[in-house]
Amino acid sequence: MSRTRLPLAALSLASLSALVLSGCSQSSDASKDAGDTAASASAATGKKPAPFSAGAVKVALVRQSGAGDYFEQWGNGAKAQAKALGIDLTVYDAQADNAKQATDLSSAINSGAKAIIIDHGFPATIQPEIDKAVKKGIKVVVYDVETATKGVVATKQDDASMAQAVLDVMAQKVGKDAKVGYVNVAGYAALDKRDTVWAKEVAAQGWKQEFKVGKVTDSTATDNVPLVSAALTQHGDVAGVFAPYDELAKGTVLAVQNKKLQDKVKVFGADVSNADIQQMTAADSPWVATAGTDPSAVGAAVVRTTALELAGQLNKTSVEFPAVAITQDFLREKKIENMDQLREALPALNLSQVSTADWISNVAH
């Protein structure tokens, strides 16, 4: 999700159109840990171009927030792909501290990295450092970050279509002129894009927005429970709540359950991860629909995009990752319990053909 950002499969969502989505995360200390991941790499067949032909290439990953299951998987995918490519990856995680991310980015610029990947962040705090990196000749690839700096490669999910897909389901489930709730935070590119779609859909459906709450912290799910609980105390008659980021959705689900409203209030989220699947398929879960990409596949694809840019082979300034709409009914019908099973049931989640070349050992998902 700058902080936050699915194609459609046969998910009983006939009215939905193709989409795309994403997430965010970070750590307070620099790390070179390759990380654990279930992904395996397919062998490269082509000759490595410069600078990869000369050995390990130093790359920095500067994250705004690495908290949550989605972001952990995103990071694991990035680390696995970096290892497969022979990239020496240093990870900085600001843990939702914007000032620290700017400091981390400054450290990355001075670290000797040939490229810097920026995963989410507020333009106001990191834009000056982005400009410095580009002027210094460092390749910069951003994920879910809005920047107008020439030479920066932008990667993202299609947040608008992702939000629309979920809201199409919400429209079917709650109907027109319903009372609804909203859990979101302004200032993150992906969430702002989803907010634009929400505003249009509220008007189109004649929904009555009874409340808006939400905040992003290093414990977003937990910290939103009291906010949503308080809103539901005053507006327990809402038919549905839209929370377009999975950590926000998790907190909303817990609040709905704490208020014992799971039979009355439906939750519509965004993003998908093992924890999200478990929560959606749990007995009496009010979380009925989400939309997202495979976070591990996205993290890996961003690293491959960076590798192509370093090799002078990308030849574009933006890369979008397709997303998939997912319903609780589909997960339960297919008995899906984790991301591995979801990948098998929805091949559209596989991004192995995005940003690749014959010299890249491509991490398979």
Side-chain angles (χ1 to χ4, degrees):
M1 327 170 316
S2 276
R3 257 197 212 225
T4 68
R5 347 155 192 233
L6 300 163
L8 296 184
L11 308 184
S12 300
L13 303 179
S15 66
L16 301 185
S17 55
L19 349 155
V20 184
L21 136 93
S22 82
C24 349
S25 76
Q26 290 182 277
S27 72
S28 21
D29 298 317
S31 170
K32 295 183 180 180
D33 182 10
D36 296 328
T37 176
S40 59
S42 60
T45 58
K47 183 179 179 180
K48 290 184 178 181
F52 297 93
S53 56
V57 178
K58 189 174 180 61
V59 175
L61 170 58
V62 179
R63 314 191 74 185
Q64 204 278 343
S65 174
D69 188 47
Y70 182 97
F71 296 117
E72 181 179 354
Q73 291 188 50
W74 196 105
N76 285 344
K79 292 172 187 176
Q81 184 64 73
K83 182 177 181 180
L85 276 163
I87 287 174
D88 178 7
L89 186 69
T90 299
V91 181
Y92 301 82
D93 191 343
Q95 294 290 350
D97 183 331
N98 298 315
K100 185 179 187 309
Q101 188 183 21
T103 301
D104 286 345
L105 186 47
S106 179
S107 297
I109 292 170
N110 296 320
S111 71
K114 299 295 183 183
I116 298 175
I117 300 169
I118 304 174
D119 172 27
H120 294 93
F122 282 98
T125 53
I126 61 176
Q127 184 61 57
E129 299 301 323
I130 291 176
D131 291 337
K132 289 178 185 178
V134 171
K135 288 180 181 178
K136 195 171 181 179
I138 299 171
K139 300 295 185 182
V140 177
V141 177
V142 300
Y143 178 72
D144 266 349
V145 176
E146 295 294 329
T147 176
T149 302
K150 187 175 181 180
V152 172
V153 175
T155 65
K156 60 183 179 180
Q157 299 175 111
D158 184 347
D159 291 290
S161 59
M162 181 277 298
Q164 189 62 60
V166 178
L167 292 173
D168 283 347
V169 181
M170 184 169 176
Q172 295 172 6
K173 297 291 186 180
V174 306
K176 287 186 175 294
D177 304 320
K179 292 182 179 180
V180 297
Y182 189 35
V183 183
N184 201 1
V185 180
Y188 296 96
L191 293 180
D192 288 344
K193 291 172 184 174
R194 298 172 190 186
D195 176 72
T196 298
V197 178
W198 166 254
K200 292 179 180 177
E201 196 66 19
V202 168
Q205 298 296 331
W207 288 338
K208 301 174 182 62
Q209 181 178 308
E210 298 296 305
F211 64 82
K212 178 184 177 182
V213 297
K215 62 181 178 180
V216 171
T217 69
D218 58 357
S219 301
T220 299
T222 300
D223 291 343
N224 276 276
V225 175
L227 299 180
V228 182
S229 293
L232 289 173
T233 297
Q234 293 185 309
H235 306 286
D237 57 345
V238 295
V241 179
F242 183 44
Y245 163 35
D246 61 347
E247 293 301 307
L248 294 174
K250 289 175 188 175
T252 301
V253 167
L254 290 173
V256 170
Q257 292 173 328
N258 287 346
K259 303 299 292 184
K260 301 188 184 305
L261 294 170
Q262 56 266 41
D263 293 333
K264 299 178 180 178
V265 180
K266 296 177 173 64
V267 176
F268 302 85
D271 305 324
V272 63
S273 67
N274 288 332
D276 299 341
I277 292 170
Q278 292 167 12
Q279 198 156 27
M280 288 181 71
T281 57
D284 297 324
S285 172
W287 191 350
V288 299
T290 191
T293 53
D294 176 355
S296 181
V298 170
V302 171
V303 171
R304 293 196 302 272
T305 300
T306 304
L308 289 172
E309 176 68 0
L310 277 167
Q313 297 180 5
L314 185 62
N315 300 319
K316 60 177 73 174
T317 59
S318 65
V319 179
E320 287 193 349
F321 306 119
V324 179
I326 302 156
T327 66
Q328 182 185 71
D329 289 342
F330 176 79
L331 295 174
R332 288 175 172 173
E333 177 187 346
K334 299 295 183 180
K335 295 181 170 55
I336 293 171
E337 299 178 352
N338 53 51
M339 287 299 299
D340 287 338
Q341 293 174 348
L342 184 60
R343 292 180 189 112
E344 185 175 349
L346 288 177
L349 287 170
N350 191 322
L351 299 176
S352 63
Q353 300 306 308
V354 176
S355 294
T356 191
D358 61 3
W359 57 271
I360 292 178
S361 296
N362 196 325
V363 173
H365 295 83

